[in-house]
Amino acid sequence: MKKLKEYEEEVYKCSRCGLCQSVCPVYKASLNECAVSRGKFNILNGIIKGELSFTKRVKTYLDLCTGCNACKDFCPSNINAKEIFTAAKAEYYNICKISFTERILNSYTLFKLLLLCARIGLRLCRLFKLDKVVKYFEKYLIKTGYIGKRIVLFNSLAIKHFKPGYKKNEGKKAKTAIYFEGCFNKYINSETKDAVVQILADSDIEFVTKNFECCGVSYLNDGNLKKFTALINKNIKQLNTDFDYIVTDCASCEDVLKQYKDYSNDNKSAELSAKTISITELLKSVKFKTLKPLKVSVHKPCHDSYDFIEIVKNIEGIKFIQTEDFDKCCGFSGKFALQNQEISREISKQKAQNYINSATDFIITTCPACLLGLNQGLAEISCNNKPSAINLFVFIAKYCRPVKD
Ligand code: SF4
Ligand code: SF4
């Protein structure tokens, strides 16, 4: 990875035209000039020239970014802002003393402990049918304010869309795929793995699971490369058998796994990056139809391509609803949602309102963090007939069947 100084020319290329303001979700929700690329480049220019130095405050401004890349796609100078911010944050971690709060926020052990607690909490919710009670009183809870909205958000994770009912095809398979589940699916959305296995039960692919750690997306985005490379090393140790693919159903995991080769010299990292594919790749040739007519819309994660939308559009029996800003950031981006809660909730709320206005039944997406973002937005709005945010594979497994030729 390049050092901040090596981006000097690119930072200088910013003409201060301000066009990035019109696409930056954080700027639109906060109207803070430091949130937009132009504002951050002003600060980084000062640092590169030696007129400013890294402080916690500078890091706070750099953290005002979901990493959505919208500014890169829109910038007339084609500046890769996210990459530059990551290099700047990596420098911050090298130079500055990290505060106790930052250590806590960066603790991987604590992150896993939180996921484990969430999993236990969600299971208890289901066991005692609290999810149904909360769903019943959802409208009133939202009106009570912050705590009520957070309860509704938590409860949205407890609601199971799908119970697996597949029969595993035990015949010899032509290819071996190692399944990279991702931590949200592993601890919270376990139905996603069941859905993927059901959809691909008849394919010629043997699925193998390993005990992977988190892909490291939030450490990479945060520029905390020490923690990120530690996770790469743990994950590549799991690759002790032959395999044809690493498959993942999470757009963010896919994006990060493909970058492992850039942060590690181990040949296994290069192999992992080269063999990583999305499960949507395996579904491109399969046709599905719904069990009943359904209105669906999509949310395109910032790190996914538009390919999965074609799969959705090709499902027989759906009415595809084109929703405004379907490809704009959902506002939930790891640590960003914790550090900038109000902005994150505002971005998610605007997204959710668009889907409610479009009167769709489902919002289909391919990233577990985006599911949280969409549910966070839906938990901000009290109304009848809200759509359900759902993972693409869970939607197919529950509501569709393959069309046989
Ligand atoms: S759009 Fe690009 S060139 Fe224009 S202000 Fe933003 S970062 Fe600078
Ligand atoms: S990557 Fe997205 S959130 Fe970050 S500055 Fe660019 S447009 Fe704003």
Side-chain angles (χ1 to χ4, degrees), residues 306-317:
Y306 286 82
D307 288 359
F308 89 90
I309 299 170
E310 288 311 306
I311 292 176
V312 174
K313 283 182 175 172
N314 284 334
I315 298 174
E316 275 178 39

Side-chain angles (χ1 to χ4, degrees), residues 381-401:
I381 302 167
S382 174
C383 72
N384 295 322
N385 303 325
K386 280 191 209 172
S388 295
I390 190 166
N391 174 284
L392 168 66
F393 310 105
V394 175
F395 177 82
I396 290 177
K398 177 159 186 194
Y399 297 103
C400 307
R401 291 293 171 263

